C-alpha cells in the first residue's frame, strides 16, 4: 500500500513539475518578448531610422572594419538590403566605407565621429531599458540571474553568424569574458 501511495505522490510531483514548467515557459517567453520589444524600441529612438539601423551602428563599433557581408549576417536583412542601409547611414554621416586591409576587393565599414556618438546614445537607451527590467531584482538576485543568463545564453549559440545576431546591440566592453564567444569557441 505504501508503494502505491509513493507512486501516486511521485506522479503528482511530476504532474506539478510539468505544470510549473509550462508556466515557466509561458512567463519566460512573455518576459523575453517584453524585454526585447522595450530594448529594440528604446535603441531605435536613438537611431537615425527605425529597424536594424541601431543594430548596424552597434555592430560596427563592436567590430570596426566589418564587411557588408559580415554586417548582413547580424541583421535580418538581405545583402541588397544591407547595402541600402549602409548607403543611408553613410549619407547621414554615421558610417564610412574604406578598402579592406584584409581583402582589397572588399569594403570595410567603420563609424564616423557622429556614428560613435549615435552608438553611445543607442547603447545608453538599451541599458536603460534592460535596467528597468532588472530593477525588480535585488543585488543577490541579479548576481544569481547573471549566472543563469550566461548559462542559458551559452546553449543558444548556433554559429558565428548567429553570434553577430545575438550580440548585435551588445556593449563589447561590458563582457570581458563574453559567454557567446566562449560558447562559439567551445563548439569549435
Amino acid at each position: 500500500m505504501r508503494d502505491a501511495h509513493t507512486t501516486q505522490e511521485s506522479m503528482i510531483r511530476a504532474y506539478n513539475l510539468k505544470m510549473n514548467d509550462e508556466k515557466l515557459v509561458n512567463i519566460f517567453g512573455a518576459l523575453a518578448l517584453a524585454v526585447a520589444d522595450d530594448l529594440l524600441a528604446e535603441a531605435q529612438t536613438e537611431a537615425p531610422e527605425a529597424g536594424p539601423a541601431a543594430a548596424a551602428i552597434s555592430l560596427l563599433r563592436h567590430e570596426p572594419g566589418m564587411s557588408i557581408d559580415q554586417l548582413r549576417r547580424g541583421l535580418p536583412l538581405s545583402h541588397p538590403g544591407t547595402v541600402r542601409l549602409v548607403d543611408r547611414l553613410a549619407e547621414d554621416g554615421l558610417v564610412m566605407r574604406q578598402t579592406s586591409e584584409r581583402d582589397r576587393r572588399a569594403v570595410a565599414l567603420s563609424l564616423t565621429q557622429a556614428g560613435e556618438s549615435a552608438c553611445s546614445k543607442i547603447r545608453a537607451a538599451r541599458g536603460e531599458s534592460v535596467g528597468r527590467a532588472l530593477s525588480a531584482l535585488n543585488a543577490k538576485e541579479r548576481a544569481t540571474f547573471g549566472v543563469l543568463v550566461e548559462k542559458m545564453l551559452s546553449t543558444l549559440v548556433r554559429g558565428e553568424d548567429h553570434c553577430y545576431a545575438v550580440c548585435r546591440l551588445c556593449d563589447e566592453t561590458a563582457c570581458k569574458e563574453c559567454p557567446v564567444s566562449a560558447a562559439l569557441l567551445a563548439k569549435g
Side-chain angles (χ1 to χ4, degrees):
M1 189 72 160
R2 193 165 191 318
D3 287 338
H5 182 67
T6 303
T7 303
Q8 185 178 15
E9 285 180 351
S10 295
M11 289 174 56
I12 290 170
R13 277 197 301 271
Y15 177 78
N16 287 336
L17 179 62
K18 183 178 183 223
M19 292 305 293
N20 288 338
D21 283 350
E22 287 176 4
K23 181 178 180 182
L24 176 60
V25 166
N26 199 47
I27 62 175
F28 181 76
L31 173 65
L33 287 174
V35 170
D37 289 348
D38 284 352
L39 181 152
L40 291 172
E42 291 291 324
Q44 289 178 19
T45 63
E46 297 299 333
E49 61 184 64
I57 291 167
S58 186
L59 276 170
L60 290 174
R61 179 183 281 173
H62 185 75
E63 194 172 322
M66 182 179 276
S67 70
I68 288 175
D69 188 57
Q70 286 174 302
L71 181 61
R72 175 200 58 79
R73 289 186 265 156
L75 304 174
L77 293 175
S78 64
H79 185 80
T82 305
V83 171
R84 288 191 298 273
L85 174 60
V86 169
D87 288 344
R88 292 190 304 273
L89 294 174
E91 287 172 19
D92 290 341
L94 301 172
V95 172
M96 63 181 159
R97 292 178 169 100
Q98 299 171 316
T99 302
S100 172
E101 292 179 13
R102 287 181 249 150
D103 180 354
R104 294 283 182 205
R105 297 168 295 166
V107 173
L109 304 171
S110 58
L111 296 177
T112 63
Q113 288 275 346
E116 290 287 342
S117 178
C119 187
S120 294
K121 291 176 184 174
I122 288 165
R123 288 184 177 178
R126 171 193 171 269
E128 289 173 23
S129 172
V130 174
R132 279 193 303 274
L134 292 175
S135 70
L137 305 176
N138 64 38
K140 185 177 179 184
E141 290 168 332
R142 281 193 306 274
T144 300
F145 188 63
V147 170
L148 297 173
V149 168
E150 279 195 33
K151 184 176 185 178
M152 293 169 67
L153 188 57
S154 69
T155 67
L156 299 176
V157 175
R158 296 188 302 259
E160 184 178 352
D161 291 355
H162 189 238
C163 288
Y164 285 122
V166 168
C167 294
R168 68 186 180 274
L169 284 167
C170 282
D171 178 355
E172 70 283 352
T173 64
C175 289
K176 301 301 180 205
E177 296 175 21
C178 174
V180 174
S181 293
L184 182 63
L185 288 173
K187 290 183 187 248

